Amino acid sequence: MSQSEPDRDGEPLKLRERAYASFTERLLAREIRPGQFVTQRELVAMTGFPLGAIRELIPRLEAEGLIKTVPQRGMQVAHVDLNLIRNAFQFRLFLEKEATAAYTRTATDEEIAEQRRRHEAIIGRAEAGGDETLIEDAEDVDRLMHEAIIDHLDNDIVSQAFRVTWLKIRLIRQYETRIQNHILIPVMQDHLKIIAAIEARDPEAAAAEMSTHINNARTRAMSY
């Protein structure tokens, strides 16, 4: 049976997904570097997955803009530049403004209260001097809020597109602007302004606060 032929357990599909997860994990860990040229066999060695899975993975990576084929040079991993920053944040803005308005209208009070609790806990830890897991936990709270707003649309196409864009945002952050102590509280305060507008059930205000938050993040990234 070839790697591309699904068996009754769907194992080749699982293999492709695992290969994708391995690639993105290594990309975020900088074991695979933005802008690096790679061959299929190098990707086999880096990810630990067979050549058949890598060959099936490449079209997805190309479609998502994580790899591109450069004539006479081979495959190049996406690199962080001004074009990536502009495109990623513009796409976020298009998706998240509408998603935030929809979330404001229909999210439950309990969901919204949980978002506030998480953010206030992070701010409290930061104001108390921080701890060794604060940055990682703050990044999780950040991601989980944006994912909750997007996933509330119950649209698999939008959710998948958002996650690919968020991966690029994480690349940008790791390369230049990962949440650090000096911007952690301002980022969380941006989020609390969004949450306050959601609590007030004001979709226009919530969308406007989300726009401000995304534009603030884009400005930080562009400044580097």
Side-chain angles (χ1 to χ4, degrees):
M1 180 181 295
S2 73
Q3 291 290 341
S4 60
E5 293 172 351
D7 64 16
R8 276 177 283 185
D9 296 323
E11 185 57 32
L13 178 59
K14 293 178 184 177
L15 193 64
R16 290 196 296 273
E17 291 299 322
R18 285 161 49 208
Y20 179 85
S22 179
F23 175 88
T24 56
E25 285 169 8
R26 280 154 181 76
L27 183 59
L28 292 172
R30 297 191 188 183
E31 295 172 22
I32 300 173
R33 300 185 308 278
Q36 178 181 351
F37 283 89
V38 293
T39 66
Q40 292 182 4
R41 294 199 177 277
E42 284 172 336
L43 289 177
V44 167
M46 290 172 181
T47 64
F49 283 84
L51 185 59
I54 296 301
R55 285 176 175 161
E56 293 188 353
L57 172 64
I58 287 169
R60 176 177 178 180
L61 297 178
E62 289 180 320
E64 293 182 355
L66 297 175
I67 274 181
K68 66 177 179 179
T69 300
V70 179
Q72 301 180 351
R73 297 199 64 184
M75 296 183 301
Q76 185 181 29
V77 179
H79 59 281
V80 176
D81 57 14
L82 291 178
N83 191 52
L84 175 66
I85 292 169
R86 280 193 295 263
N87 290 346
F89 280 101
Q90 184 180 58
F91 191 66
R92 275 191 68 190
L93 198 59
F94 289 155
L95 288 184
E96 294 192 66
K97 282 179 64 179
E98 289 300 318
T100 300
Y103 185 86
T104 302
R105 296 185 187 100
T106 58
T108 67
D109 292 341
E110 291 77 14
E111 289 171 321
I112 300 167
E114 177 62 16
Q115 292 293 348
R116 176 172 286 282
R117 184 197 65 76
R118 290 174 180 170
H119 284 78
E120 289 179 343
I122 291 292
I123 290 175
R125 287 166 62 186
E127 290 177 338
D131 52 70
E132 62 183 13
T133 65
L134 176 62
I135 298 297
E136 182 179 353
D137 292 345
E139 289 182 334
D140 284 343
V141 167
D142 181 24
R143 173 182 57 81
L144 288 170
M145 189 187 88
H146 290 285
E147 284 185 356
I149 289 172
I150 288 290
D151 290 345
H152 196 75
L153 294 171
D154 195 23
N155 185 314
D156 290 341
I157 294 174
V158 172
S159 291
Q160 179 60 29
F162 174 79
R163 278 163 173 76
V164 173
T165 302
W166 192 259
L167 176 60
K168 294 172 183 176
I169 296 295
R170 287 185 65 190
L171 274 182
I172 293 165
R173 282 182 175 170
Q174 289 207 350
Y175 197 66
E176 300 286 4
T177 60
R178 187 174 185 263
I179 292 179
Q180 299 293 345
N181 287 323
H182 69 285
I183 64 168
L184 187 154
I185 291 179
V187 168
M188 293 294 107
Q189 288 173 337
D190 273 3
H191 278 205
L192 285 176
K193 290 176 183 177
I194 298 166
I195 292 168
I198 293 171
E199 289 170 332
R201 301 296 182 175
D202 187 336
E204 290 186 3
E209 292 292 353
M210 179 62 79
S211 297
T212 298
H213 170 58
I214 292 172
N215 285 327
N216 287 343
R218 179 174 58 188
T219 298
R220 284 193 299 271
M222 295 285 282
S223 71
Y224 286 86

